[in-house]
Amino acid sequence: MATRAESHDVRAAIARRTGDIVEALLDLDDEDLTVRSELPGWSRLTIACHLRYGAEALRRMTGATLSGRPTAYYPQGRARQRAGTLLPNDGEGSRDVVNSLALHSRMLAQAWSAVDAEGWSREINEPEDNPDLGPVTLTQLALLRLTEVEVHGSDLGVDLDDWSAPFVTMTLPMRFDRLNSRTVDHRDGSLEGSWLFVASDGPTYRVSVTNGVVESIPAVPHAPARAALEATSRDLLALLLGRPFRRAPRITGDLPFGEAFSAAFPGP
């Protein structure tokens, strides 16, 4: 069960990063807000719209979960609804979007401040005909929000700091754990085996594929594996998120198999 202290650390990290994002965006004029971001195909305004919608969606999902009701990130379905969430509302200017992002982020923080330890451990109940996030608790939902603001903050290209140490420390174990819900195409046998991920400044995990079924568990350094990848915790998280490295992991053992991980698990 998540403690209120643990949830407070996540919420504090979200608040810091969100505040930095809003402050940076409010310093830009309308033209700079519509400039292409470092995320291919997205402008800075696209990112602001996306983060704004996320704050709205997670507050709604939190209320539904605490009330015992099914809930979905995209109630109308991802394919039908997502594109519209990346655009300003009718008649809405660029700065209106940024101010709305700030408002909805505060409202989400307020909703989360009232959740107790038992509530943070509740699992989101997605409709069977509209799954999107997969099995997650409210604690994991907050970590997903932290991921959104940390990663997209860097995407904005406004010289925000790189990912914070609390973000990396709190999120890396969850990302390895979420691999257990994945499957891979094993028909040619090329992805059968295991990868050992050794964080030079953190934990070690072993990810294995057997008949397409994935198992991701904590391990010890030097545990047997077909390939081992060593990097900082930050760069192992970048690997799991499909994002650029500061320094690429060092691969030992079966080099092609080690390099195949990114193709087998292409980000979230």
Side-chain angles (χ1 to χ4, degrees):
M1 180 180 293
T3 67
R4 286 187 63 85
E6 291 168 339
S7 69
H8 178 271
D9 291 342
V10 178
R11 289 182 284 120
I14 293 170
R16 283 193 298 270
R17 187 64 162 185
T18 303
D20 290 342
I21 289 171
V22 169
E23 182 178 357
L25 292 178
L26 287 175
D27 283 341
L28 303 177
D29 59 26
D30 285 348
E31 182 177 354
D32 286 335
L33 281 170
T34 57
V35 163
R36 180 185 305 171
S37 75
E38 296 181 7
L39 183 62
W42 285 33
S43 69
R44 290 167 175 164
L45 185 59
T46 308
I47 291 174
C49 290
H50 177 64
L51 292 177
R52 186 257 303 270
Y53 177 77
E56 293 180 271
L58 297 194
R59 183 167 68 92
R60 171 177 47 75
M61 295 178 76
T62 297
T65 298
L66 294 177
S67 299
R69 294 179 280 113
T71 184
Y73 191 81
Y74 295 108
Q76 300 171 42
R78 172 179 283 264
R80 179 179 178 185
Q81 188 176 359
R82 186 173 188 265
T85 68
L86 302 177
L87 300 170
N89 297 323
D90 290 342
E92 191 175 38
S94 299
R95 294 183 69 84
D96 295 330
V97 173
V98 180
N99 287 323
S100 181
L101 165 61
L103 173 62
H104 285 287
S105 297
R106 289 193 300 269
M107 294 170 69
L108 174 61
Q110 184 176 14
W112 277 349
S113 69
V115 180
D116 60 19
E118 188 276 331
W120 283 112
S121 298
R122 290 202 188 182
E123 189 165 300
I124 309 300
N125 179 19
E126 293 185 302
E128 291 185 5
D129 62 348
N130 188 19
D132 189 79
L133 300 179
V136 292
T137 63
L138 278 184
T139 294
Q140 292 167 325
L141 198 69
L143 286 170
L144 292 177
R145 179 60 178 178
L146 179 57
T147 302
E148 291 274 279
V149 295
E150 288 276 357
V151 173
H152 286 315
S154 298
D155 290 335
L156 287 168
V158 291
D159 296 324
L160 293 182
D161 292 339
D162 191 45
W163 303 347
S164 68
F167 162 58
V168 173
T169 300
M170 292 186 289
T171 306
L172 184 62
M174 182 195 71
R175 283 293 167 183
F176 273 115
D177 182 65
R178 282 176 68 80
L179 293 178
N180 287 302
S181 64
R182 305 277 289 271
T183 58
V184 298
D185 187 347
H186 66 288
R187 286 172 292 184
D188 63 2
S190 63
L191 294 177
E192 292 286 304
S194 59
W195 296 267
L196 188 70
F197 296 91
V198 182
S200 58
D201 55 350
T204 298
Y205 279 82
R206 184 176 182 270
V207 179
S208 60
V209 176
T210 305
N211 296 324
V213 177
V214 180
E215 181 184 57
S216 178
I217 58 174
V220 296
H222 309 300
R226 184 171 169 182
L229 292 85
E230 183 176 357
T232 63
S233 295
R234 188 264 181 215
D235 282 329
L236 288 184
L237 182 58
L239 176 66
L240 296 175
L241 294 175
R243 293 293 176 149
F245 305 117
R246 282 179 169 175
R247 178 177 295 177
R250 182 174 70 92
I251 304 175
T252 55
D254 185 334
L255 183 61
F257 182 74
E259 292 175 337
F261 181 84
S262 294
F265 300 94

